[in-house]
Amino acid sequence: MNISVDPQRRLNRQDYKTLSLAALGGALEFYDFIIFIFFAAVIGKLFFPPDLPDWLRQMQTFGIFAAGYLARPLGGIIMAHFGDKVGRKKMFSLSILLMALPTLMMGLLPTYATLGISAPLLLLLLRILQGAAIGGEVPGAWVFVAEHVPSRRIGFACGTLTAGLTVGILLGSFVATLMNVFFMPHTLINGAWRIPFLLGGLFGLVAMYLRRWLQETPVFIEMQARQALAKEFPLKSVVLNHKVAVLISMLLTWLLSAGIVVVILMAPLWLQQQLGISPAMALRANCVAIIALAIGCVVTGTVIDRVGAGKTLVVGCVLLGLFSWLFYHTQTYHPLQLLLTYGLAGLSVGVVGGVPYVMVHAFPAAVRFSGISFSYNVAYAIFGGLTPIVVTLLMRATPMAPAWYVLGLSVMGVVLGIFLPSGLRDRRVHPHQTKVVA
């Protein structure tokens, strides 16, 4: 099979197919990963002893949810190692299988009433497998599409793929809302809660089947042909030889996690607690913000292909600081005003769609998967886990702590954009333009 690696060509039918299937699979994986949190109250009642205090049951349930985040670095690093050694496509397919099966099994898992203490332990194991899967999926998807599409459209591809991941969050919220509309609480407890997990697992298996039609990336095939794969442990090379790339990738992941966690995930509760906004209105505004976020990711990716990473980061982070500040400081909310300000904040969070562009250019092809996976997953485990705690503690001093936190990281993003090393901007994702026979 002759595969032409031409960074200047237009996106073709195969590129759109690759991007569509990658985005679809990523959205479904994110749905599978976060659907747990929407049914945490039901799961807590069913998988722990009935005589536990409510606070302890809730803490243990959230502990199982958090275990998925803690498992991300290990799973991501292992899958990235083999992605750099044996192929991107194999790990790309494995990640969605590793997510779909545990999600399906969660929907079939007997509760505490049947299995006793084994029920929450098995739930914890399945959650850890989910975390390992998502740790490999996100970096793997970024690398996979970046190495397939022309160089001049990498920003658009990474931005579109990141938008697809955010759609998974929206899908989880939408399904949870439908379940609560069509089923009474006692019906959910008696088994209806299993439906979202079963659907997620089945859809994941379908997405995995569709991914079998994808091709290995031309970049990896070329490295195989030239015997240019990493000779040593890829992660060792990343840590020893690419420290600046790792640091900048981690800082950008901090920016990404702050935008998603604070503005998208924490803001609905902030609106209810600080401003007395009804839950229904807060969730409706949140859906608007997520849709705007997806649009912002695509716009950022498109712009970055035209003007470069540095300028895009500077302008995007200025808008993030401005619109998030406006959202948190608009104290008298009319419904349309809330939708507008939250929508603008969500749109500005779309600057995170440019983060994978910088990452895929930051590491050479031989260790690209491992470099991105290590930087992204370790940073997300740290900052994604600590951000809610830090913001909550800061809110004891001022209810505007979320606004200050996002503003601070927006300033960091501007500085990174200004001083982004040229080596991280200019490294070619497609190092050669020759034809490769596979």
Side-chain angles (χ1 to χ4, degrees):
M1 177 175 61
N2 288 332
I3 299 179
S4 178
V5 184
D6 180 5
Q8 297 305 316
R9 64 174 172 80
R10 294 176 178 273
L11 289 175
N12 58 32
R13 185 175 181 180
Q14 182 62 37
D15 292 326
Y16 283 114
K17 176 182 175 182
T18 298
L19 188 53
S20 298
L21 291 178
L24 173 64
L28 291 175
E29 278 211 52
F30 253 69
Y31 165 87
D32 287 354
F33 187 69
I34 60 98
I35 194 66
F36 184 103
I37 199 65
F38 291 109
F39 294 91
V42 175
I43 290 171
K45 292 178 181 178
L46 292 173
F47 282 85
F48 293 100
D51 56 346
L52 279 182
D54 288 341
W55 68 268
L56 182 57
R57 183 186 298 113
Q58 180 176 333
M59 185 180 71
Q60 291 179 335
T61 305
F62 284 135
I64 290 178
F65 177 74
Y69 285 90
L70 297 178
R72 288 175 69 156
L74 180 60
I77 289 169
I78 292 174
M79 278 192 276
H81 171 82
F82 289 103
D84 283 330
K85 287 286 191 180
V86 303
R88 320 301 202 198
K89 179 185 173 182
K90 292 178 181 177
M91 294 302 106
F92 200 38
S93 298
L94 175 63
S95 67
I96 200 166
L97 177 65
L98 198 58
M99 178 64 79
L101 289 181
T103 306
L104 188 63
M105 292 174 67
M106 282 182 178
L108 300 171
L109 190 63
T111 62
Y112 184 87
T114 302
L115 290 183
I117 192 62
S118 297
L121 293 178
L122 288 172
L123 186 63
L124 174 62
L125 174 62
L126 295 176
R127 183 62 187 166
I128 289 173
L129 291 175
Q130 283 189 324
I134 206 73
E137 168 67 19
V138 178
W142 286 337
V143 171
F144 194 81
V145 299
E147 291 185 353
H148 264 291
V149 302
S151 293
R152 64 191 184 94
R153 300 309 303 276
I154 288 176
F156 170 78
C158 288
T160 301
L161 180 58
T162 306
L165 300 178
T166 66
V167 169
I169 302 174
L170 180 64
L171 182 60
S173 177
F174 180 69
V175 169
T177 300
L178 288 181
M179 293 296 296
N180 282 280
V181 168
F182 288 105
F183 294 99
M184 299 296 291
H186 70 274
T187 308
L188 284 173
I189 286 282
N190 289 332
W193 67 272
R194 298 180 183 275
I195 295 174
F197 292 90
L198 297 175
L199 286 176
L202 292 174
F203 286 148
L205 293 176
V206 171
M208 186 199 70
Y209 176 78
L210 293 175
R211 280 188 179 180
R212 68 192 293 265
W213 304 109
L214 296 175
Q215 299 174 355
E216 182 56 87
T217 73
V219 172
F220 187 84
I221 292 174
E222 184 177 0
M223 288 193 299
Q224 280 186 317
R226 293 189 294 108
Q227 297 183 343
L229 299 177
K231 298 294 189 296
E232 58 182 354
F233 197 66
L235 182 58
K236 178 182 177 182
S237 176
V238 168
V239 174
L240 293 179
N241 304 321
H242 303 283
K243 296 182 180 66
V244 174
V246 168
L247 175 62
I248 290 180
S249 297
M250 284 186 164
L251 291 176
L252 287 175
T253 300
W254 188 10
L255 174 67
L256 182 151
S257 66
I260 299 296
V261 172
V262 178
V263 180
I264 301 301
L265 299 182
M266 294 181 66
L269 184 60
W270 183 87
L271 287 170
Q272 296 170 55
Q273 293 180 340
Q274 300 297 325
L275 301 179
I277 303 294
S278 70
M281 189 63 220
L283 290 173
R284 192 177 303 127
N286 183 245
C287 288
V288 171
I290 295 174
I291 294 171
L293 165 61
I295 295 171
C297 287
V298 178
V299 171
T300 297
T302 303
V303 171
I304 212 170
D305 283 330
R306 295 179 179 274
V307 304
K311 293 178 182 177
T312 305
L313 271 176
V314 169
V315 175
C317 288
V318 167
L319 292 177
L320 174 61
L322 176 65
F323 287 141
S324 62
W325 188 267
L326 175 67
F327 164 64
Y328 283 107
H329 283 79
T330 302
Q331 294 294 308
T332 54
Y333 281 111
H334 181 275
L336 288 179
Q337 186 182 37
L338 173 60
L339 295 177
L340 176 62
T341 57
Y342 201 2
L344 288 173
L347 184 69
S348 66
V349 175
V351 69
V352 304
V355 169
Y357 178 92
V358 178
M359 288 188 181
V360 298
H361 286 82
F363 300 95
V367 296
R368 179 171 293 136
F369 199 162
S370 293
I372 295 175
S373 184
F374 174 76
S375 306
Y376 172 80
N377 283 307
V378 171
Y380 209 106
I382 296 171
F383 299 125
L386 290 179
T387 290
I389 298 173
V390 171
V391 172
T392 301
L393 289 175
L394 291 175
M395 285 179 63
R396 299 179 64 180
T398 170
M400 293 300 149
W404 284 105
Y405 189 83
V406 176
L407 181 63
L409 288 176
S410 298
V411 172
M412 181 191 74
V414 171
V415 173
L416 285 175
I418 294 172
F419 296 103
L420 193 64
S422 60
L424 269 65
R425 295 193 303 258
D426 302 333
R427 179 180 283 118
R428 293 167 64 183
V429 172
H430 304 277
H432 295 274
Q433 299 181 36
T434 58
K435 286 188 177 181
V436 179
V437 179

